[in-house]
Amino acid sequence: MEWLSTENIVAVGTAVLGIVASAGIFWYERRVPRRKRIGYRVQMDNPIGDDIRSGRFGRRLGLFDEAPDMSDATLVLIRIENDGSQGIGRDDYTSPELHGLTAVFTDRTIRGVSVTQPTDSDHLMPHFTPERGFGYAGNTLRIPRVPLNHGEHFKLLVLLSGGDVGREIRLIGGLHDGEVHPNRSATPDDATPLFSRASRLITIMLTVSVLTLATIIVARDDNPPPIGCAKGSLRVIGSTAFAPVMADAAKKYEKQCEGSSIIVDAHGSTAGIRDLRNAGADWKKPGSPSVLAMSDGPKPTDMPELHENRVALVVFALVVNDDVKLTDLSTADVRRMYRGDITNWKQLGGPDLPVVLVSRDANSGTRQVFQRRVLKRGEIANSSVDCVHKDDPTAKVIRCELDSTDQVLSEVAQLKGAVGYAELNVAAGAKGLHTLSLDHEAPSVEAIERGVSAYPYREIEYAYTYGQPAADTLASSFLAYVERGNGQDVIRSHGHVPCVTSVGNRLCG
């Protein structure tokens, strides 16, 4: 599968976005100023001695054995904290009474209260005075209007009698633009929970759901069978420069479409066009032969029976042996070189090496594009079979012809002073040679796509069929796969521009 496909990038991006969003929502809830919040939690509710009613036992000595009505004494520790995002002042409490909050201990009687504050919050204790409403009666404890900065807290240790441990303990009161709410019950050493139980559950569910969705999308086969998969056999002929693209596309199509067999047999654009025409003329069955011919450039005008399909924009390049240090030539100098007027690289400011022209044979579409787009004429006659020895003593330069792009690149890489041409993506990865700019325009697919380059050595790659093949044939299905289906990814991976894209449509038009 293609891990960097658009669908996978979107899926993983969605997962990351979901996680960030869920974290951001709760960060906003907790940190961005919005509401005032006082939380309280009972950190301890223990009997002092033998509390048979609660089922909890202990040992006691001294006062609790001697004082009246203390046989069922209990100790309660309450933590009261500002767990909102804003500080709380005295005027923020809504109580109509002098005090701010009221703690109610169901079925128990308060016998005494002790207040503690953190060592770094010594400004809290002065508020706990009777003049500010601090006091108790029966089962009710009055708590003053204590100002609390964000994160500050104080604790109340309450001695009670009567009633069982575990009975309801409530904190009553309110805040302007805020709330008073119970927190999770915890031990004295526990920190305030970052999220509520509901918040944690929602976050976990959202994260798991999004990650599951992303895993399913990424792990599944993101190359579903093309619409209209067809069985049978197909022969792809023509351009050797475009043959690697068609071979990769054929392999993927065969994997996705059971019962299909596609053979890529490339021998040059001109030979492919000619073979397709001959196959169609000899075809005796209904329809058209199962042959697809790829061509670097348009067919001859005298073949109306061949049906044209524009597939991609292909960029080509002149390549030169690395011993020739030049990186840019004018088209005028290139034309002079291929007329035989320039025989040594020193005439162009290069090294003292004879020019050797390594060309393609007459069937090559790459050669035809070079002659049509750059030279504006044909090349001079062939003068060597082995690209080393001059068979024609009267020839100004050595010029040889080879059958394929790979042969040209191999010969240029090992022969000093050699120059040739090839499809850009293949040439760029070859060793022992480098590409040449033309008129200071580098061979660049990206620059051509952006519309900022007038680089001339480029051409449309055409796919030809003999007539219009039926919709249910392998030729029709595979052609649609290459032009409009997942074959576009193959075209792009080889450094070409699919004609079906908005940019490609402009360039191929």
Side-chain angles (χ1 to χ4, degrees), residues 311-351:
V311 175
L313 179 75
V314 180
V315 180
F316 302 88
L318 278 170
V319 293
V320 66
N321 182 274
D322 278 341
D323 285 331
V324 179
K325 304 302 181 182
L326 300 176
T327 58
D328 181 82
L329 291 177
S330 68
T331 51
D333 287 339
V334 173
R335 291 165 187 168
R336 291 170 58 207
M337 183 186 303
Y338 276 84
R339 287 198 306 265
D341 296 340
I342 296 177
T343 61
N344 194 293
W345 287 103
K346 66 181 180 181
Q347 294 174 254
L348 298 175

Side-chain angles (χ1 to χ4, degrees), residues 284-299:
K284 304 302 182 182
K285 301 177 183 179
S288 57
S290 188
V291 179
L292 191 65
M294 306 304 298
S295 176
D296 305 333
K299 65 179 181 177

Side-chain angles (χ1 to χ4, degrees), residues 129-285:
T129 62
E131 293 77 18
R132 295 198 174 184
F134 184 46
Y136 63 86
N139 68 345
T140 302
L141 171 64
R142 299 184 300 275
I143 303 171
R145 299 171 179 261
V146 180
L148 293 170
N149 295 323
H150 168 71
E152 286 186 334
H153 74 276
F154 59 87
K155 295 183 180 182
L156 302 170
L157 182 61
V158 185
L159 175 63
L160 304 120
S161 65
D164 298 333
V165 298
R167 298 303 298 271
E168 182 183 21
I169 300 173
R170 292 179 293 126
L171 195 67
I172 301 172
L175 298 172
H176 293 291
D177 298 323
E179 64 176 347
V180 176
H181 68 102
N183 280 334
R184 177 178 61 88
S185 201
T187 65
D189 295 330
D190 280 349
T192 306
L194 183 60
F195 302 136
S196 67
R197 180 177 302 175
S199 299
R200 293 196 302 273
L201 180 61
I202 292 172
T203 303
I204 292 171
M205 290 178 62
L206 176 61
T207 303
V208 170
S209 298
V210 174
L211 287 176
T212 302
L213 173 63
T215 301
I216 292 173
I217 294 177
V218 173
R220 70 180 174 88
D221 184 3
D222 60 355
N223 288 319
I227 297 176
C229 260
K231 297 181 179 180
S233 60
L234 174 68
R235 190 162 64 100
V236 180
I237 58 178
S239 169
T240 59
F242 209 69
V245 178
M246 301 308 287
D248 282 356
K251 185 184 299 183
K252 292 180 180 294
Y253 184 94
E254 288 175 338
K255 182 178 180 180
Q256 297 168 23
C257 293
E258 185 178 354
S260 61
S261 175
I262 303 172
I263 298 174
V264 179
D265 183 22
H267 296 289
S269 297
T270 301
I273 293 292
R274 184 177 60 249
D275 290 349
L276 175 62
R277 181 184 60 178
N278 294 338
D282 295 337
W283 190 252
K284 304 302 182 182
K285 301 177 183 179

Side-chain angles (χ1 to χ4, degrees), residues 498-509:
C499 285
V500 76
T501 63
S502 57
V503 174
N505 185 55
R506 172 176 57 82
L507 295 172
C508 295

